[in-house]
Amino acid sequence: MSLPPRLGVHVLADVTDVADPSAFEPEFLVAAFRDALHEAGTTVRRTLVEEFTPHGLSVMVVLAESHASLHTWPERRTMLIDAFTCGPVSPLPVVEKFAAKLGPCRVETTQVDRGVAG
């Protein structure tokens, strides 16, 4: 039996120049992030949301496939996403589907294969 070439895929995304200030509203962000995770084919197990004063939000999500996080800096019109999945589900659609819900913005991603065999 051969081992898979990797254990999982990790995607880091910088979402900048978010045009719509209402995209930073906590209720919208949590719902949009969870919806994007679901639409990308992941299974959400637990969600932790932490709001910061005077602004900002962190969302940590445990997935059956691994994890995802979202951190925001409204004053910089920036959100950072970290998504890691094992198995056949790719984390890249999480970023794509979430960014599409934000309206105009700029997205830069880095993808890393994790646990590469050999």
Side-chain angles (χ1 to χ4, degrees):
M1 178 164 112
S2 65
L3 294 174
R6 64 182 182 213
L7 293 176
V9 177
H10 209 146
V11 169
L12 306 174
D14 291 9
V15 181
T16 58
D17 300 327
V18 178
D20 184 357
S22 69
F24 289 93
E25 292 297 322
E27 287 182 17
F28 167 79
L29 280 174
V30 173
F33 196 48
R34 286 178 56 98
D35 287 350
L37 288 160
H38 176 73
E39 292 165 11
T42 69
T43 305
V44 173
R45 296 287 192 205
R46 293 183 190 258
T47 303
L48 173 68
V49 178
E50 187 70 29
E51 292 185 49
F52 297 98
T53 302
H55 40 68
L57 179 81
S58 288
V59 182
M60 304 295 295
V61 181
V62 176
L63 305 170
E65 299 78 13
S66 195
H67 72 271
S69 65
L70 168 68
H71 306 282
T72 71
W73 287 265
E75 74 280 12
R76 297 179 76 167
R77 298 177 23 214
T78 297
M79 302 179 191
L80 303 181
I81 299 170
D82 170 350
F84 176 64
T85 59
C86 305
V89 178
S90 170
L92 190 56
V94 172
V95 173
E96 294 167 343
K97 291 176 184 306
F98 178 72
K101 296 174 187 311
L102 299 176
C105 61
R106 188 170 144 217
V107 181
E108 292 183 30
T109 60
T110 302
Q111 184 171 306
V112 179
D113 288 339
R114 303 292 309 271
V116 178

